[in-house]
PDB file of all heavy atoms in Angstrom:
ATOM      1  N   ARG A  70     -10.868  12.534 -19.068  1.00 95.00           N
ATOM      2  CA  ARG A  70     -10.386  11.157 -19.050  1.00 95.00           C
ATOM      3  C   ARG A  70     -11.046  10.361 -17.931  1.00 95.00           C
ATOM      4  O   ARG A  70     -11.374   9.183 -18.095  1.00 95.00           O
ATOM      5  CB  ARG A  70      -8.859  11.133 -18.872  1.00 95.00           C
ATOM      6  CG  ARG A  70      -8.242   9.743 -19.040  1.00 95.00           C
ATOM      7  CD  ARG A  70      -6.752   9.788 -18.766  1.00 95.00           C
ATOM      8  NE  ARG A  70      -6.074  10.734 -19.641  1.00 95.00           N
ATOM      9  CZ  ARG A  70      -4.886  11.258 -19.382  1.00 95.00           C
ATOM     10  NH1 ARG A  70      -4.272  10.967 -18.249  1.00 95.00           N
ATOM     11  NH2 ARG A  70      -4.322  12.098 -20.227  1.00 95.00           N
ATOM     12  N   PRO A 108     -19.255   0.605  -6.771  1.00 97.00           N
ATOM     13  CA  PRO A 108     -18.201   0.736  -5.761  1.00 97.00           C
ATOM     14  C   PRO A 108     -16.931   1.403  -6.279  1.00 97.00           C
ATOM     15  O   PRO A 108     -15.878   1.301  -5.644  1.00 97.00           O
ATOM     16  CB  PRO A 108     -17.924  -0.719  -5.373  1.00 97.00           C
ATOM     17  CG  PRO A 108     -18.155  -1.465  -6.652  1.00 97.00           C
ATOM     18  CD  PRO A 108     -19.286  -0.750  -7.350  1.00 97.00           C
ATOM     19  N   VAL A 158       2.988  -0.122 -21.107  1.00 98.00           N
ATOM     20  CA  VAL A 158       2.385   0.256 -19.829  1.00 98.00           C
ATOM     21  C   VAL A 158       3.355  -0.090 -18.707  1.00 98.00           C
ATOM     22  O   VAL A 158       3.901  -1.199 -18.656  1.00 98.00           O
ATOM     23  CB  VAL A 158       1.033  -0.457 -19.618  1.00 98.00           C
ATOM     24  CG1 VAL A 158       0.505  -0.221 -18.208  1.00 98.00           C
ATOM     25  CG2 VAL A 158       0.016   0.031 -20.653  1.00 98.00           C
ATOM     26  N   VAL A 177       7.769  20.465   6.174  1.00 97.00           N
ATOM     27  CA  VAL A 177       6.746  20.687   7.205  1.00 97.00           C
ATOM     28  C   VAL A 177       7.345  21.598   8.281  1.00 97.00           C
ATOM     29  O   VAL A 177       8.380  21.268   8.857  1.00 97.00           O
ATOM     30  CB  VAL A 177       6.292  19.355   7.832  1.00 97.00           C
ATOM     31  CG1 VAL A 177       5.218  19.611   8.892  1.00 97.00           C
ATOM     32  CG2 VAL A 177       5.775  18.392   6.764  1.00 97.00           C
ATOM     33  N   ASP A 187       7.536   3.386  -1.782  1.00 98.00           N
ATOM     34  CA  ASP A 187       7.266   2.055  -2.312  1.00 98.00           C
ATOM     35  C   ASP A 187       5.764   1.899  -2.517  1.00 98.00           C
ATOM     36  O   ASP A 187       4.964   2.436  -1.740  1.00 98.00           O
ATOM     37  CB  ASP A 187       7.743   0.973  -1.342  1.00 98.00           C
ATOM     38  CG  ASP A 187       9.257   0.905  -1.242  1.00 98.00           C
ATOM     39  OD1 ASP A 187       9.930   1.394  -2.158  1.00 98.00           O
ATOM     40  OD2 ASP A 187       9.753   0.360  -0.238  1.00 98.00           O
ATOM     41  N   GLU A 205      -2.628  -7.802 -24.628  1.00 97.00           N
ATOM     42  CA  GLU A 205      -2.912  -6.828 -25.692  1.00 97.00           C
ATOM     43  C   GLU A 205      -1.798  -5.810 -25.902  1.00 97.00           C
ATOM     44  O   GLU A 205      -1.725  -5.187 -26.961  1.00 97.00           O
ATOM     45  CB  GLU A 205      -4.212  -6.081 -25.382  1.00 97.00           C
ATOM     46  CG  GLU A 205      -5.460  -6.943 -25.409  1.00 97.00           C
ATOM     47  CD  GLU A 205      -6.716  -6.138 -25.135  1.00 97.00           C
ATOM     48  OE1 GLU A 205      -6.683  -4.895 -25.301  1.00 97.00           O
ATOM     49  OE2 GLU A 205      -7.733  -6.734 -24.750  1.00 97.00           O
ATOM     50  N   GLN A 223      12.736  17.115 -16.591  1.00 98.00           N
ATOM     51  CA  GLN A 223      12.732  15.817 -17.262  1.00 98.00           C
ATOM     52  C   GLN A 223      13.797  15.751 -18.362  1.00 98.00           C
ATOM     53  O   GLN A 223      13.748  14.896 -19.239  1.00 98.00           O
ATOM     54  CB  GLN A 223      11.344  15.527 -17.833  1.00 98.00           C
ATOM     55  CG  GLN A 223      10.291  15.377 -16.742  1.00 98.00           C
ATOM     56  CD  GLN A 223       8.935  14.927 -17.263  1.00 98.00           C
ATOM     57  OE1 GLN A 223       8.802  14.494 -18.407  1.00 98.00           O
ATOM     58  NE2 GLN A 223       7.919  15.030 -16.428  1.00 98.00           N
ATOM     59  N   ARG A 225      14.432  17.676 -20.932  1.00 98.00           N
ATOM     60  CA  ARG A 225      14.024  17.934 -22.311  1.00 98.00           C
ATOM     61  C   ARG A 225      14.906  19.025 -22.924  1.00 98.00           C
ATOM     62  O   ARG A 225      15.416  19.896 -22.227  1.00 98.00           O
ATOM     63  CB  ARG A 225      12.554  18.349 -22.360  1.00 98.00           C
ATOM     64  CG  ARG A 225      11.585  17.175 -22.349  1.00 98.00           C
ATOM     65  CD  ARG A 225      10.142  17.638 -22.486  1.00 98.00           C
ATOM     66  NE  ARG A 225       9.296  16.576 -22.994  1.00 98.00           N
ATOM     67  CZ  ARG A 225       8.753  15.633 -22.245  1.00 98.00           C
ATOM     68  NH1 ARG A 225       8.942  15.643 -20.933  1.00 98.00           N
ATOM     69  NH2 ARG A 225       7.995  14.682 -22.788  1.00 98.00           N
ATOM     70  N   ALA A 244      21.450   6.905 -17.154  1.00 98.00           N
ATOM     71  CA  ALA A 244      21.698   6.615 -15.742  1.00 98.00           C
ATOM     72  C   ALA A 244      20.387   6.262 -15.039  1.00 98.00           C
ATOM     73  O   ALA A 244      20.345   5.369 -14.176  1.00 98.00           O
ATOM     74  CB  ALA A 244      22.359   7.816 -15.066  1.00 98.00           C
ATOM     75  N   SER A 257       3.622  10.577  -9.014  1.00 98.00           N
ATOM     76  CA  SER A 257       3.686   9.289  -8.309  1.00 98.00           C
ATOM     77  C   SER A 257       4.308   9.346  -6.924  1.00 98.00           C
ATOM     78  O   SER A 257       3.942   8.556  -6.047  1.00 98.00           O
ATOM     79  CB  SER A 257       4.443   8.265  -9.155  1.00 98.00           C
ATOM     80  OG  SER A 257       5.770   8.693  -9.421  1.00 98.00           O
ATOM     81  N   GLY A 306      -9.387  -1.787 -15.206  1.00 97.00           N
ATOM     82  CA  GLY A 306     -10.753  -2.287 -15.261  1.00 97.00           C
ATOM     83  C   GLY A 306     -10.812  -3.797 -15.112  1.00 97.00           C
ATOM     84  O   GLY A 306     -11.684  -4.346 -14.426  1.00 97.00           O
TER      85      GLY A 306
END
Side-chain angles (χ1 to χ4, degrees):
R70 188 183 302 160
V158 172
V177 181
D187 291 340
E205 294 182 20
Q223 295 187 13
R225 277 184 157 84
S257 60

